[in-house]
Amino acid sequence: MDTSSPAAPRARSRTAGHAVRRGAVLALAVALGAPSAAAAPHGGGAPSARDVTVTYRLPLDPPAHLLRPFDPPPRPWLAGHRGVDVAATAGATVVSPAAGVVTFAGDVAGRGVVTVLHADGRRSSLEPLTATVHEGAQVIAGATLGTLAGDAHGGTPGGPALHWGVRVGDRYVDPWLLLPGTGPIVLLPAG
């Protein structure tokens, strides 16, 4: 390598600057008490949301009757049904489908909504309800979030219903498949 060319010192300088920035970030993390990757087995650090197993339950007392299934749009900006509608009676108690933190409790377009962030990174949003929890509250699975206050979408065929939507990042997923015994069938090898 020709070290007399002007590009070579710049490359070394860029590499040195990167190492200094990395060192400063590591020092700041240690000073703030963050666990280091070196202290974790196999360099893994804290488990990511994908590594956490969360058990979901129906956000209403059983039995459940699915009135309208998940029907995602072919493109994110098109119409579709980004959750499930579950039959309920007016005033029914709505509970958290899994443990988590309430990240929103308020009105959206005139309907009461509660959103819970779960340890696996999924966010459950339930509507329409009159919330009995507040933003920042930690809830366990089955904890009361509020009561059903009307009907999902202003009139679901089949009677009053709770709308339950679940997102991973900006992508909606089928909440019904999160319930025990309702997901895809997985064949395991014998023996």
Side-chain angles (χ1 to χ4, degrees), residues 17 30 36-37 47 60 66 68-69 78 81 91 102 105 113 125 130 133 135 145 161 164 169 179-181 184:
V30 169
S36 71
L60 295 163
L66 184 64
R68 186 172 173 198
L78 295 175
H81 192 235
V102 176
V113 177
S125 291
T130 301
V133 293
E135 191 173 315
L145 299 176
W164 177 24
L179 299 173

Side-chain angles (χ1 to χ4, degrees), residues 26 50 54 81 105 150:
L26 179 59
R50 288 173 295 189
V54 173
H81 192 235

Side-chain angles (χ1 to χ4, degrees), residues 76-94:
W77 58 86
L78 295 175
H81 192 235
R82 294 166 173 87
V84 295
D85 293 343
V86 183
T89 58
T93 299
V94 179

Side-chain angles (χ1 to χ4, degrees), residues 67-172:
L67 292 177
R68 186 172 173 198
F70 181 69
D71 184 20
R75 299 277 187 254
W77 58 86
L78 295 175
H81 192 235
R82 294 166 173 87
V84 295
D85 293 343
V86 183
T89 58
T93 299
V94 179
V95 299
S96 183
V101 176
V102 176
T103 58
F104 181 81
D107 285 349
V108 175
R111 288 193 304 245
V113 177
V114 172
T115 301
V116 179
L117 174 62
H118 307 293
D120 59 2
R122 291 183 176 107
R123 287 175 289 166
S124 289
S125 291
L126 303 128
E127 65 178 275
L129 54 129
T130 301
T132 57
V133 293
H134 60 277
E135 191 173 315
Q138 293 195 356
V139 294
I140 61 172
T144 299
L145 299 176
T147 55
L148 189 66
D151 188 19
H153 315 295
T156 302
L162 172 72
H163 178 82
W164 177 24
V166 176
R167 288 192 304 175
V168 177
D170 289 332
R171 184 177 54 89
Y172 285 87

